[in-house]
């Protein structure tokens, strides 16, 4: 099995190169292709991404993370589709972990956790273990008891091609908030969507630094709940 990596990107010149390098550090035979979908950049994102092997840069002028991911998915050829944010650095065993989970019968997708690399030790502890303390009970309730979705972090997530094709791809009406929750909800209709701390990506904490921990966490949680129960995001902008 091989993985098509899809990276939506808008003005990510500071991060995109290192993100691609972490993907290329995975076992070579598992990396089918890296598809960077430029979503309206006006910096050097496209120029930098184009320097690397196995990279194809696509243009998607209409804003939206799901629209960019769907553009990449439509072009991809791998049996597994890995969705990575432009500032996320993958653990060395990421591809092997994904294939291990997605080879199981009836598993449609698998999502992992973030470790934030540019915060202090207290911030790292709470953003990882605090998140897991909440996420695992929520995951159990939503996925196994209610059977309405899963816990999906859209920048550290992979799905089987057959599952994405069954749900008709990603819903491009989701511009940003709630997009990953909706994808997890749709995939849960065709198979299991697993959530595991064994699938790790190091992420930038820039959103926390810009908006504050409480605001970011509460906004994502509200959007998750609204998508799961009301089929729409809470945040419109």
């Amino acid at each position: 099995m091989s993985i098509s990596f899809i990276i939506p990107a808008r003005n990510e010149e500071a991060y995109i190169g290192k993100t691609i390098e972490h993907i290329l550090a995975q076992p070579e035979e598992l990396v089918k292709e890296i598809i960077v979908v430029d979503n309206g950049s006006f910096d050097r994102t496209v120029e930098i991404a184009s320097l690397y092997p196995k990279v194809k840069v696509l243009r998607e002028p209409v804003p939206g993370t799901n629209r960019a991911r769907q553009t990449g998915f439509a072009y991809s050829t791998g049996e597994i589709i890995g969705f990575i944010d432009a500032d996320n650095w993958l653990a060395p065993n990421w591809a092997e972990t994904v294939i291990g989970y997605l080879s199981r019968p009836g598993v449609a997708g698998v999502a992992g956790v973030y470790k934030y690399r540019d915060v202090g030790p207290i911030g790292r502890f709470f953003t990882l273990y605090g998140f897991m303390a909440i996420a695992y009970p929520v995951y159990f309730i939503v996925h196994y008891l209610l059977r309405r979705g899963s816990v999906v972090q859209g920048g550290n997530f992979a799905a089987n091609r057959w599952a994405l094709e069954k749900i008709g791809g990603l819903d491009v009406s989701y511009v940003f908030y709630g997009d990953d929750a909706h994808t997890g909800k749709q995939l849960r209709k065709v198979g299991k969507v697993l959530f595991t701390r064994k699938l790790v990506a190091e992420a930038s904490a820039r959103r926390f630094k810009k908006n504050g921990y409480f605001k970011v966490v509460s906004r994502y949680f509200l959007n998750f709940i609204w998508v799961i129960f009301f089929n729409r995001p809470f945040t419109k902008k």
Side-chain angles (χ1 to χ4, degrees):
M1 302 179 78
S2 60
I3 305 174
S4 292
F5 290 85
I6 297 175
I7 308 173
R10 177 180 168 85
N11 297 328
E12 297 287 359
E13 65 178 8
Y15 298 97
I16 192 68
K18 199 74 171 179
T19 296
I20 292 171
E21 288 169 12
H22 276 76
I23 295 174
L24 291 173
Q26 305 293 311
E28 184 179 359
E29 69 276 9
L30 303 183
V31 182
K32 177 78 171 182
E33 59 200 351
I34 303 170
I35 303 170
V36 176
V37 185
D38 177 53
N39 207 199
S41 298
F42 47 83
D43 66 357
R44 297 178 61 243
T45 296
V46 171
E47 178 186 345
I48 293 170
S50 300
L51 297 174
Y52 291 91
K54 293 194 175 184
V55 172
K56 170 66 176 179
V57 178
L58 305 180
R59 306 275 187 167
E60 175 50 69
V62 180
T65 49
N66 257 13
R67 185 174 291 274
R69 289 171 183 145
Q70 178 60 24
T71 297
F73 172 55
Y75 178 88
S76 67
T77 58
E79 301 155 279
I80 293 173
I81 313 301
F83 297 103
I84 309 301
D85 280 351
D87 60 349
N88 287 356
W89 303 348
L90 303 184
N93 67 340
W94 194 94
E96 294 167 308
T97 302
V98 160
I99 290 175
Y101 280 111
L102 293 184
S103 299
R104 298 179 183 179
V107 175
V110 60
V113 298
Y114 293 146
K115 288 183 178 179
Y116 291 93
R117 59 181 176 268
D118 45 2
V119 294
I122 295 177
R124 285 196 295 270
F125 179 86
F126 282 106
T127 52
L128 176 61
Y129 295 104
F131 169 77
M132 288 194 297
I134 298 171
Y136 272 111
V138 170
Y139 169 68
F140 180 80
I141 293 169
V142 170
H143 189 274
Y144 289 105
L145 297 184
L146 302 179
R147 301 175 67 89
R148 293 180 66 94
S150 185
V151 172
V152 171
Q153 302 207 80
N156 185 23
F157 174 64
N160 274 310
R161 173 175 293 280
W162 63 260
L164 289 168
E165 289 176 344
K166 275 190 174 183
I167 66 171
L170 292 85
D171 189 336
V172 299
S173 68
Y174 283 79
V175 177
F176 185 77
Y177 287 107
D179 55 359
D180 44 10
H182 184 266
T183 300
K185 183 174 183 178
Q186 294 302 104
L187 286 172
R188 184 63 183 92
K189 296 176 182 179
V190 300
K192 292 181 179 179
V193 184
L194 305 179
F195 172 67
T196 174
R197 63 179 178 84
K198 295 180 180 180
L199 193 66
V200 179
E202 284 193 25
S204 166
R206 52 183 168 167
R207 292 191 183 94
F208 290 121
K209 291 180 177 180
K210 181 179 179 180
N211 299 306
Y213 288 97
F214 178 78
K215 186 175 182 179
V216 172
V217 171
S218 60
R219 184 176 289 172
Y220 275 92
F221 182 75
L222 282 172
N223 279 285
F224 173 83
I225 294 297
W226 250 248
V227 170
I228 294 298
F229 291 103
F230 308 118
N231 291 309
R232 58 182 176 85
F234 176 81
T235 306
K236 298 299 182 183
K237 294 184 180 180

